[in-house]
Amino acid sequence: MRIRPTSARGGLPPAAASAESPAALSGPDGRRLPASPRRRRPDLAALAVLLILGGTAATITLMLNGSARVSAIRITRQVTAGQPLSRAGMEEVRIAGTGIDYLPWSQHASYAQRLALVTLLPGTLLTTQMTATASEGITPGKARVGLALKPGQSPAELRAGQRVQIISLPRQDPGDRTTTVLAQSALVDAVSDPGTHGPPRLVNVIVDAALSPRIAAYASNGQIVLAYLPAAH
């Protein structure tokens, strides 16, 4: 029976001791330290997902808000009730859609000669309820009076939508030179202009109903003159 020799210290055989000694490990495997298992961070992954979703939602909100903006008409000059609007007194403004029927800027040309039903201050956003055409200007308490005017009894460039004073001419009596303002501010509703030397010019005016009988009486005698009142700005 053979007995395997042992090391001088009574341990493993020299070959086994040499195989398990640190000196026996060579190359990369001999220099690599044991790697610790990588720890997962599920909380950071969830936070990243929330940030992505939040950014996407914010982008969609901005896009929707931007697409909901509309172009409206804003008044830049004061227009008193009954006076016509003007293109020079309007400007385009972009506003968020609110459901109110603000007039779109694309219609500003057609509203430039409409009449203001109420006094419009600078900064007012125009709506359909704030304006009317000349034919819509007659309301309860008002009356439409037709005038047949000779050349010289009305301004040459008179047109519908303007405001005029209605003045009575003196009577045929040479001693009577009295003139009277019959209506301080009457709205011209319609004008028929046949020419300077043609038939009388036919003009419809809207006045207070209480003034209409007197104006009609003077008009039937040809004793009416219209004086143009410039629009307030």
Side-chain angles (χ1 to χ4, degrees):
M1 182 171 121
R2 298 180 60 184
I3 298 176
R4 180 179 297 180
T6 62
S7 63
R9 296 181 181 179
L12 295 174
S18 175
E20 294 185 6
S21 65
L25 297 178
S26 63
D29 292 339
R31 295 189 298 271
R32 184 179 301 167
L33 296 177
S36 60
R38 181 174 296 177
R39 301 179 61 184
R40 296 179 179 271
R41 298 296 301 272
D43 51 345
L44 293 180
L47 178 60
V49 173
L50 290 177
L51 291 176
I52 293 173
L53 293 178
T56 303
T59 302
I60 294 175
T61 301
L62 290 175
M63 292 176 62
L64 291 177
N65 289 340
S67 62
R69 300 185 72 83
V70 297
S71 181
I73 301 173
R74 181 164 61 190
I75 299 299
T76 59
R77 301 180 182 179
Q78 180 172 326
V79 184
T80 57
Q83 297 292 336
L85 282 69
S86 66
R87 169 64 185 85
M90 300 177 180
E91 68 178 1
E92 181 181 10
V93 61
R94 301 285 297 179
I95 61 172
T98 60
I100 301 176
D101 59 340
Y102 294 120
L103 289 174
W105 177 252
S106 59
Q107 299 183 18
H108 73 278
S110 61
Y111 278 83
Q113 292 302 320
R114 290 175 69 94
L115 307 179
L117 292 180
V118 295
T119 297
L120 303 177
L121 300 177
T124 301
L125 297 177
L126 204 60
T127 66
T128 54
Q129 293 79 12
M130 297 177 181
T131 68
T133 61
S135 60
E136 295 171 343
I138 187 167
T139 56
K142 299 291 184 179
R144 182 183 287 111
V145 181
L147 308 175
L149 303 176
K150 298 177 182 180
Q153 290 183 308
S154 62
E157 297 181 355
L158 189 68
R159 66 177 184 271
Q162 292 180 338
R163 286 274 169 175
V164 294
Q165 276 186 339
I166 302 179
I167 304 171
S168 67
L169 292 173
R171 297 179 182 177
Q172 298 299 325
D173 184 355
D176 186 3
R177 298 299 180 189
T178 304
T179 60
T180 304
V181 176
L182 303 177
Q184 184 64 41
S185 179
L187 175 64
V188 178
D189 181 58
V191 178
S192 174
D193 194 354
T196 304
H197 302 290
R201 171 187 273 182
L202 303 180
V203 179
N204 288 345
V205 293
I206 296 176
V207 298
D208 291 340
L211 302 177
S212 61
R214 190 179 183 193
I215 293 173
Y218 277 96
S220 64
N221 295 324
Q223 295 177 258
I224 289 291
V225 168
L226 302 183
Y228 171 66
L229 297 175
H233 293 292

